[in-house]
Amino acid sequence: MTCEITYEADTPLSIPYEEIIRRVVEEALEQEGCPYEAEVGVTLTSGDEVRRLNREFRGMDRTTDVLSFPMAEYERPADFDFLEEDSAADCFNPETGELLLGDIVLSVEKIREQAEEYGHSLKRELAFLTAHSMLHLMGYDHVEDEERHLMEERQRLLMKALEIPRE
């Protein structure tokens, strides 16, 4: 697994964020049964940058806590079977053979704000947002109620496996 982590925010995040992110990424891949070695890019940045990306890529001129940029479109969440087709070759890094899952962009300000708002640790908020985004990279969504319930259950199970409960 390759998990490329970039820290672009001006203010430091006083927790071992790289270790937390890598652990969540690995557990999410295992939980969802990803049959490939995978590559994920994670950027921790400012709220202003997340707002700019949200406006540019989603047409929403507001900040948010996390953005997910999956490389593939899944017919069903975490159903990796379609990747065996020749048309899915561009979903793999030609140099390493790893599945290119996509990119995660996290707002450091929102991590802090939401941890305080929900009364839990920075570790828990970072882990939750990373887990949420990893599920998006593997085809989960929360637009429809049925999808939302499924995604919430997968998030709950992932956080339980990580032994990072709600505080």
Side-chain angles (χ1 to χ4, degrees):
M1 176 197 76
T2 301
C3 185
E4 198 66 39
I5 301 170
T6 307
Y7 198 96
E8 297 178 350
D10 291 334
T11 56
L13 196 55
S14 58
I15 55 173
Y17 63 88
E18 290 180 338
E19 177 185 319
I20 295 164
I21 291 168
R22 282 191 174 85
R23 187 166 164 241
V24 173
V25 168
E26 286 176 10
E27 187 65 38
L29 292 168
E30 185 175 320
Q31 174 179 290
E32 296 306 316
C34 181
Y36 304 100
E37 288 295 314
E39 184 176 317
V40 178
V42 181
T43 302
L44 294 108
T45 192
S46 69
D48 288 342
E49 178 62 7
V50 172
R51 181 179 184 161
R52 184 191 71 74
L53 292 169
N54 202 20
R55 180 177 54 245
E56 181 178 338
F57 291 100
R58 297 179 65 220
M60 303 174 101
D61 190 15
R62 63 179 176 83
T63 193
T64 188
D65 48 11
V66 62
L67 292 170
S68 307
F69 297 98
M71 290 295 291
E73 287 189 38
Y74 295 78
E75 204 169 294
R76 289 179 308 282
D79 182 354
F80 300 97
D81 291 345
F82 78 97
L83 294 168
E84 295 297 321
E85 300 169 11
D86 290 337
S87 60
D90 60 341
C91 293
F92 292 89
N93 183 325
E95 294 176 18
T96 65
E98 290 181 314
L99 172 62
L100 298 168
L101 270 184
D103 295 304
I104 297 169
V105 181
L106 296 152
S107 165
V108 171
E109 288 95 342
K110 285 289 189 181
I111 292 168
R112 282 194 180 94
E113 287 172 22
Q114 291 175 177
E116 186 174 324
E117 179 183 338
Y118 300 130
H120 53 242
S121 67
L122 292 173
K123 175 184 176 179
R124 201 268 179 205
E125 188 63 20
L126 174 61
F128 178 81
L129 293 176
T130 304
H132 180 87
S133 197
M134 279 298 295
L135 292 172
H136 276 308
L137 294 186
M138 292 184 277
Y140 288 88
D141 208 347
H142 45 77
V143 175
E144 304 294 326
D145 277 345
E146 186 176 328
E147 294 173 330
R148 181 177 53 80
H149 292 301
L150 176 61
M151 188 169 179
E152 287 172 354
E153 177 63 10
R154 301 310 298 167
Q155 287 171 167
R156 188 189 66 72
L157 292 171
L158 182 50
M159 295 301 286
K160 182 178 179 182
L162 291 164
E163 298 178 342
I164 305 175
R166 282 195 99 113
E167 298 166 354

